[in-house]
Amino acid sequence: MTDVLGVLVIARNGDRDEFYQDPKTYEPQFTESTPLGAVESFQLGAFLRSVYLNPSSPSYITNMKPDLVNTHEVRFLAKAGGEGPVIFDSAIALLQGLFPPTPKNKITLANETTVVAPLGGYQYVPIETVEPGNDRTLEPWTDCPAFQDHISRVYASPEFKERAKSAQPFFGAIRDYVFGRPTTLENAIYDYMNTQLVHNKTFAHRLPPTLIEQARGFADFHENAIFGSKDIGGIGNLAGRTILHLILDSLQRIAFNGDPLRFLLVETSYHPFISLFHMLEITKNNPELAGFPDYASAIALELRRGPAPEDRDFLRVKFRNGTENFETYHVFGHKADIPLTEFFYRAENYAISSYKQWAATCEDGLQDDYLHIGSQNGATTTIMAACAAVLFVGMFALGKFIKRSRAKKYVRLPDDEVSPGPCTHHNYGTLHNVRSTVVALNTRAD
């Protein structure tokens, strides 16, 4: 039996209200979580607790405290994009199941009074929000021209047109149940139908059999075509490529004996699930995963120490679709756990780890040579020299008219994002240090 050194879990949000995304740009609209969604996420948290925090479980994380959360051992991130707080709400509910209230969450005061936290020892676990305006890790597809071009190519492809043609009888049959919404394959109608089926009693009683299953099938085809690619570095896998750097960084931290991190949770939307299944070559032998996962699904990447006398670390990938149990899937064509070193070798060149890389991939106008990785030095020197020359001439002319000038000091932050100008030197930080509220003055940009 192998020991589990640590786990990274990528979880989808629970049930929510209807969620609309622009079919041409995938810009999201606001939606809200439901009590059902909170229950689904809570149950997922309780399930993860039973697997990884139960000392009697074969997958128990070695030496991790099961009751009181140790914030040095865990890290929790939640996507905070245009859909609103629904994913953050799911993260809160999941953590309530993962670290439930305990009377051990108490403190003894100087006067020997013991105080237990509210709600029977509720544990307040910090969650980091990941906002696409500051960090592209969990929502890289919006405001990305190359991805929009990819969407257009998908819609214009022979495969998509053929599937749209075969779907015409279905779209004709549902026209009376979607109340004026576009009935085309581009504007997949499944989300609306599924939401109504769960929450609208009248709709549930009126909808004929098999229509919801057909809607799900067409939606799976649609989303898999948009967020999947046969090429591991393809633009369709963008959602997987940006989260991949977080996966690699976290696994590296868990593997390092001097780092206390043991459990990382990333609460996000369904999009990176599709991309990762393609990138890790899981869909080759499991085509049923070529679509979006159910609510409160989870991917677990377990870092395991090989059995004696093996002294290497291995990675095991598991997937739980909705309320099902974990099932193990082998990656990159392996028939067993993959050595961690090989996983890094196969994956690290396709991870997008900085805003600069994301911008270059998206071809969003920040494509000057000096913004490309590995080609910065010569071009940057020339540009900075030109800027310095212009500045010198300007100051010389200004000095003739101003006898006195007050010296002003400016602090240039490493991660400032500015509009490109003729003498602007761009300096972008890594995905997870670009923050609107926290500034590290002594951080060096990549």
Side-chain angles (χ1 to χ4, degrees), residues 63-101:
N63 298 326
M64 187 168 177
K65 297 179 179 179
D67 295 323
L68 281 174
V69 60
N70 181 345
T71 55
H72 297 289
E73 294 180 334
V74 298
R75 186 185 181 198
F76 305 108
L77 298 92
K79 180 177 182 289
E83 64 278 303
V86 59
I87 295 176
F88 182 83
D89 293 346
S90 293
I92 292 289
L94 189 153
L95 291 179
Q96 290 173 343
L98 185 64
F99 291 105

Side-chain angles (χ1 to χ4, degrees), residues 365-441:
L366 301 177
Q367 284 278 59
D368 306 272
D369 288 340
Y370 64 91
L371 286 177
H372 289 183
I373 293 175
S375 63
Q376 213 170 341
N377 294 340
T380 300
T381 302
T382 303
I383 290 169
M384 293 303 292
C387 288
V390 172
L391 182 62
F392 176 78
V393 173
M395 291 183 65
F396 180 77
L398 190 62
K400 291 185 177 182
F401 298 96
I402 301 175
K403 295 181 179 179
R404 272 184 171 180
S405 63
R406 183 179 301 170
K408 297 182 180 180
K409 295 181 180 180
Y410 296 94
V411 178
R412 179 63 182 277
L413 302 182
D415 296 325
D416 278 354
E417 296 183 24
V418 294
S419 300
C423 288
T424 298
H425 172 53
H426 297 267
N427 196 356
Y428 296 101
T430 61
L431 282 168
H432 49 270
N433 71 15
V434 180
R435 290 285 185 268
S436 61
T437 55
V438 180
V439 176
L441 291 178

Side-chain angles (χ1 to χ4, degrees), residues 191-375:
D191 195 273
Y192 169 78
M193 294 178 62
N194 185 60
T195 302
Q196 295 300 310
L197 186 65
V198 173
H199 298 283
N200 186 330
K201 182 177 180 180
T202 302
F203 185 92
H205 287 179
R206 289 184 62 235
L207 189 69
T210 76
L211 288 186
I212 191 64
E213 289 81 8
Q214 293 181 63
R216 173 63 186 256
F218 289 122
D220 279 339
F221 170 81
H222 184 282
E223 298 306 301
N224 183 66
I226 298 297
F227 288 96
S229 177
K230 295 180 181 179
D231 178 7
I232 186 174
I235 189 67
N237 289 332
L238 185 62
R241 293 183 63 194
T242 53
I243 201 174
L244 183 59
H245 91 92
L246 180 60
I247 292 173
L248 297 176
D249 179 69
S250 300
L251 291 175
Q252 203 165 35
R253 287 187 58 188
I254 294 172
F256 177 56
N257 292 333
D259 196 311
L261 182 67
R262 289 294 172 265
F263 188 96
L264 179 104
L265 169 73
V266 181
E267 189 80 28
T268 186
S269 54
Y270 68 84
H271 310 81
F273 283 77
I274 301 173
S275 298
L276 287 173
F277 286 147
H278 281 277
M279 295 177 69
L280 302 181
E281 300 180 5
I282 293 176
T283 54
K284 285 186 176 180
N285 295 321
N286 304 277
E288 70 279 5
L289 297 182
F292 60 89
D294 293 337
Y295 289 131
S297 294
I299 296 175
L301 295 96
E302 301 175 353
L303 186 62
R304 292 173 170 264
R305 178 60 46 82
E310 185 70 69
D311 194 29
R312 290 191 298 169
D313 294 336
F314 291 81
L315 190 68
R316 179 176 299 177
V317 177
K318 295 180 177 179
F319 175 57
R320 181 181 191 256
N321 195 16
T323 58
E324 299 174 0
N325 289 321
F326 267 141
E327 186 170 344
T328 299
Y329 292 92
H330 302 306
V331 303
F332 293 126
H334 275 253
K335 303 299 182 182
D337 299 343
I338 184 173
L340 184 63
T341 51
E342 181 182 346
F343 182 81
F344 269 77
Y345 177 80
R346 300 284 293 270
E348 63 182 346
N349 288 335
Y350 302 99
I352 296 176
S353 59
S354 69
Y355 180 90
K356 180 169 59 178
Q357 285 181 289
W358 173 82
T361 302
C362 286
E363 301 173 352
D364 64 354
L366 301 177
Q367 284 278 59
D368 306 272
D369 288 340
Y370 64 91
L371 286 177
H372 289 183
I373 293 175
S375 63

